[in-house]
Amino acid sequence: MKLHKLLLSGAIALSALSMSAAHAKDWKTVTITLEGAYAPWNVTNPDGTLGGFEPELAAYLCKEMKVECKLVASDWDGMIPALNAGKFDVIMDALSITDERKQVIDFSIPYANTHAGFATQKDSPLVNAAGTGSVLKLTPGQTGVAEIEAMKTAFKGKTIGIQAATVYAKFIYDNFGSIATVREYKTGAERDLDLESGRIDLAFDDAVYFGTTFEKANGALVFTGPEFGGTLFGIGEGLGIRKADTDLKAMFDKAITAALADGTVKTLSLKWFKTDVSP
């Protein structure tokens, strides 16, 4: 679900360096990083362990691969360069598979595919924006979308909160940056607090992420406008893996295929998201 253009040049250099030094590995232990703050995808439990949809799916995948996996939390906006620097082996953090990211890292096959949307306060004049309750399946760069044009008029002069370094940030800047104030946050949780308190008017993020946010807000927040899907944000969420580690990618691809085939992804989706996000 996320992107940081400012880090791409450095990440490209690190990717090239890691590939040149690559050598075959006997994958007995794999270190996976997650944000630990993007519920229900992943969350840090009171005891410091990581829980949520992705940690539980990771447990299945690692068992299927017969490897020991270590889960570690790290900051979202530095994950891709840190991966290429060898600080961990895999990113598993609702990471959208995009062509731009493929320039610097590789991806597993997708294990989820979700929509995104706008949230606002339930008593805001911005509720029920054009397309509310529908899903728009769009392609990258698609223009002339009636619902987006109507929202530009309704959201003019408002403040939209986004988590920095995400594919959603690019969408907001491209479509609403000229008519609204865009405020970036390090984490979604920080942004959500400002939305609930009225310091910003709107937020834009992953729809299933907002489901948990709405529960925490006790109904004070709601969706407005359509949910956005299709290939707008890539082909789904996958594991980020160094380009040199083709064997590790193949192992995870096989394990994800098994998790999709036996219903594990669907079961965990319904548990954590209340909907099936299987790609």
Side-chain angles (χ1 to χ4, degrees):
M1 56 327 353
K2 302 174 182 178
L3 182 63
H4 202 321
K5 286 185 175 180
L6 294 179
L7 294 175
L8 282 179
S9 58
I12 291 171
L14 287 169
S15 177
L17 184 62
S18 64
M19 289 180 68
S20 66
H23 60 277
K25 295 182 180 180
D26 183 10
W27 293 103
K28 294 181 179 178
T29 303
V30 176
T31 301
I32 301 174
T33 194
L34 310 94
E35 191 175 353
Y38 199 61
W41 292 88
N42 55 78
V43 62
T44 301
N45 296 318
D47 63 358
T49 60
L50 292 167
F53 170 77
E54 288 172 320
E56 291 196 6
L57 178 58
Y60 172 98
L61 299 178
C62 294
K63 182 178 180 181
E64 185 75 14
M65 293 162 51
K66 296 181 174 57
V67 299
E68 179 182 352
C69 286
K70 178 182 179 182
L71 304 184
V72 297
S74 59
D75 288 342
W76 159 251
D77 56 4
M79 282 184 180
I80 290 178
L83 172 71
N84 281 329
K87 293 185 177 180
F88 35 76
D89 304 306
V90 175
I91 297 172
M92 191 179 196
D93 196 41
L95 187 67
S96 297
I97 302 169
T98 67
D99 289 339
E100 190 163 7
R101 286 182 177 148
K102 285 181 179 179
Q103 296 178 42
V104 293
I105 61 172
D106 207 346
F107 285 91
S108 70
I109 61 172
Y111 56 83
N113 193 350
T114 58
H115 303 150
F118 285 96
T120 191
Q121 292 182 327
K122 69 175 182 179
D123 56 355
S124 167
L126 302 177
V127 297
N128 297 318
T132 298
S134 65
V135 176
L136 293 181
K137 294 188 176 181
L138 307 178
T139 56
Q142 186 173 343
T143 60
V145 180
E147 290 85 350
I148 293 178
E149 294 305 315
M151 283 188 290
K152 285 181 180 180
T153 299
F155 297 168
K156 186 175 181 179
K158 304 302 180 182
T159 301
I160 304 172
I162 55 172
Q163 184 176 3
T166 67
V167 289
Y168 303 138
K170 181 180 184 330
F171 172 78
I172 293 300
Y173 278 118
D174 287 350
N175 290 280
F176 298 91
S178 63
I179 58 91
T181 298
V182 181
R183 186 174 299 172
E184 293 192 8
Y185 293 81
K186 187 176 181 63
T187 68
E190 293 171 341
R191 186 253 344 265
D192 300 340
L193 288 174
D194 273 6
L195 178 63
E196 193 172 354
S197 66
R199 287 187 287 270
I200 58 175
D201 303 297
L202 296 149
F204 191 79
D205 212 318
D206 179 80
V208 294
Y209 165 81
F210 272 144
T212 297
T213 300
F214 293 173
E215 289 181 9
K216 292 179 180 178
N218 295 316
L221 304 176
V222 296
F223 284 113
T224 186
E227 292 183 17
F228 297 90
T231 59
L232 180 62
F233 305 116
I235 62 171
E237 289 83 12
L239 303 174
I241 301 170
R242 284 182 292 271
K243 285 182 175 291
D245 294 334
T246 55
D247 50 350
L248 185 60
K249 168 181 160 50
M251 292 166 62
F252 272 110
D253 283 350
K254 183 177 180 181
I256 292 170
T257 298
L260 291 168
D262 68 11
T264 295
V265 171
K266 180 178 180 179
T267 298
L268 293 177
S269 296
L270 294 175
K271 174 182 177 180
W272 288 101
F273 302 136
K274 308 299 188 292
T275 188
D276 185 8
V277 302
S278 300

